[in-house]
Amino acid sequence: MITPSFQRLAAGIAFSAFAFGIAQAAPRVSSKPWGTTPSGEKVRIVTLANDHGIVVRFITYGGVIQSVETPDRNGHAQDIVLGFGDLKGYTVDSAKGGLFFGAIIGRYANRLAGGKFTVEGKPYQTDVTAPPNALHGGKIGFDKKVWRLSGIKSDAHGAQATLTLVSPDGDQGFPGKLTTKVTYRLSDDDALSLRYQATTDAPTVLNLTNHSYWNLNGEGSGSIEDEILQIDAERYTPTDATSIPTGEIAPVAGTPLDFTKPTQIAARLRSNFPQMMYARGYDHNWVVNGETGGAPRHAAHIYDPRSGRAMDVITSQPGLQVYTSNSLDGGYAGVSGRAYRQTDAIAFEAEHFPDSPNHPSFPSTELKPGEKFDYTTIFKFSNK
């Protein structure tokens, strides 16, 4: 028999657990309309949330991560990615500058020399969008497509949603009908994972990534120069003055690109090292230590001493392009109403190497019928 006193005791325990954060609710997912593109396509926004104050929002236009809220060391939640408060910010305003705020990049992330590549001996040409080279997949890349929200689900340990895009043969000059799925999952251990999967009906090349701009002190708070960065890479791919790899894989030791130990981003940001001068800061591909294509391994850690927020980047991709937002020039203002300027954020583009189809010694980006492209990148949040 359950007595009234026992019921009161149980209710008190339940209230105390809730009040002190002991009670745990399963991560949650929801979606709702978020405007219409200039061409008339309807866009939705998806929200993933867990019980630790992590809230992730992304939209079906470009798969853009619109915001990521995480608590600082005092429990104050704040958005830590640069972005905009309405769809126009992505479809019209920022699209003019080609800055790819938060978007999925494809078919080929990063650069292709002259926009040229060869598949099984046949030459192809995609649009030159960053003269003299192609950047991030052509004039109408995956960042400018409306993806289909193809699945939503949650369980005791995570909530997720999947976007699907079918890219027809010849899209932006790339061969093969390509079907791509990206699954966003927020877990109860404060990790946001992006799993990229793709198949093709003809031989092609493929390089997918996410282009979020992170600022752990909060969107619109100014420069990330004081943040502390560590990259699990002893080598990188040097480039020429147009950001195309020379083909060399060089050691980071003795260069401003050595982040094998925790280092303040500002420490060598203004170095006259030629690689730094070409890029006007950091915009380089690091060769992540460890095996590629299997279980995701640790690639980078960044810590903001002001807020106490930290983030780990974990990936199965071979490379990590780290970019200190060198092209932000004050021409865009985000959700905070503050203009974005150079070094106001850092991007971690886990991907294959730039211009890989033109460098046989690099990990291959070819995808053939019957094969499956399947890579995962995880952003794990914490505070100290």
Side-chain angles (χ1 to χ4, degrees):
M1 179 179 179
I2 298 176
T3 64
S5 60
F6 181 85
Q7 289 177 323
R8 288 193 296 270
L9 176 62
I13 291 172
F15 175 80
S16 298
F18 177 82
F20 288 98
I22 298 171
Q24 298 294 312
R28 304 165 296 284
V29 56
S30 62
S31 76
K32 64 181 182 180
W34 210 65
T36 304
T37 68
S39 62
E41 295 180 274
K42 294 181 179 180
V43 173
R44 298 187 70 82
I45 188 166
V46 179
T47 300
L48 306 173
N50 72 11
D51 212 34
H52 301 152
I54 312 290
V55 181
V56 176
R57 298 180 183 90
F58 65 93
I59 59 176
T60 55
Y61 176 82
V64 167
I65 294 178
Q66 186 266 341
S67 60
V68 177
E69 295 176 9
T70 70
D72 64 10
R73 63 165 62 90
N74 297 314
H76 173 65
Q78 198 167 3
D79 184 9
I80 60 170
V81 296
L82 274 55
F84 305 96
D86 58 31
L87 184 58
K88 183 183 175 185
Y90 298 98
T91 59
V92 178
D93 296 338
S94 70
K96 296 175 184 177
L99 294 170
F100 308 97
F101 286 91
I104 297 170
I105 307 299
R107 283 191 191 189
Y108 200 91
N110 219 308
R111 290 168 175 81
L112 290 166
K116 302 177 186 297
F117 59 96
T118 300
V119 178
E120 296 193 338
K122 184 177 179 179
Y124 293 89
Q125 176 76 54
T126 190
D127 295 318
V128 171
T129 52
N133 306 310
L135 175 66
H136 291 338
K139 290 182 179 177
I140 309 176
F142 286 5
D143 61 295
K144 297 179 180 66
K145 308 274 192 181
V146 176
W147 294 58
R148 179 171 63 89
L149 182 57
S150 56
I152 285 180
K153 70 176 185 178
S154 61
D155 55 41
H157 299 292
Q160 67 185 54
T162 299
L163 299 183
T164 299
L165 180 70
V166 178
S167 174
D169 179 36
D171 188 9
Q172 308 304 298
F174 292 90
K177 177 183 175 182
L178 185 80
T179 301
T180 302
K181 293 183 178 182
V182 181
T183 298
Y184 302 68
R185 180 176 173 87
L186 178 64
S187 63
D188 59 357
D189 64 350
D190 304 339
L192 170 65
S193 66
L194 275 64
R195 183 180 182 185
Y196 306 87
Q197 298 172 284
T199 56
T200 181
D201 69 355
T204 191
V205 294
L206 181 64
N207 195 16
L208 301 174
T209 194
N210 170 266
H211 204 289
S212 289
Y213 290 89
W214 303 91
N215 184 321
L216 298 189
N217 195 42
E219 180 274 333
S221 66
S223 179
I224 47 83
E225 292 185 38
D226 290 339
E227 295 186 7
I228 309 299
L229 176 63
Q230 184 171 6
I231 303 175
D232 293 356
E234 297 175 357
R235 299 175 299 163
Y236 77 106
T237 53
T239 72
D240 64 17
T242 71
S243 297
I244 293 296
T246 63
E248 179 187 8
I249 294 180
V252 298
T255 78
L257 281 75
D258 188 350
F259 284 92
T260 52
K261 296 180 180 179
T263 304
Q264 187 184 52
I265 292 172
R268 299 182 295 248
L269 188 61
R270 289 165 178 78
S271 166
N272 64 357
F273 185 59
Q275 290 290 309
M276 298 288 289
M277 299 290 284
Y278 292 158
R280 295 174 291 129
Y282 291 106
D283 188 11
H284 300 82
N285 170 62
W286 275 259
V287 180
V288 180
N289 297 339
E291 295 185 6
T292 296
R297 80 280 195 213
H298 195 268
H301 177 83
I302 187 165
Y303 169 67
D304 178 62
R306 296 161 295 181
S307 66
R309 292 187 183 93
M311 183 174 77
D312 290 277
V313 183
I314 304 159
T315 187
S316 56
Q317 292 271 19
L320 184 69
Q321 186 87 11
V322 178
Y323 174 52
T324 47
S325 59
N326 309 326
S327 293
L328 293 182
D329 60 3
Y332 305 105
V335 293
S336 61
R338 301 190 68 190
Y340 294 149
R341 297 191 176 277
Q342 192 178 49
T343 77
D344 275 3
I346 186 169
F348 295 99
E349 303 161 57
E351 59 190 29
H352 277 62
F353 303 170
D355 201 35
S356 288
N358 299 312
H359 297 275
S361 63
F362 288 179
S364 176
T365 55
E366 286 196 7
L367 182 68
K368 299 178 181 180
E371 298 177 343
K372 191 171 188 178
F373 181 99
D374 192 345
Y375 291 90
T376 296
T377 297
I378 300 166
F379 302 101
K380 194 170 192 308
F381 311 111
S382 58
N383 52 56
K384 301 178 182 178

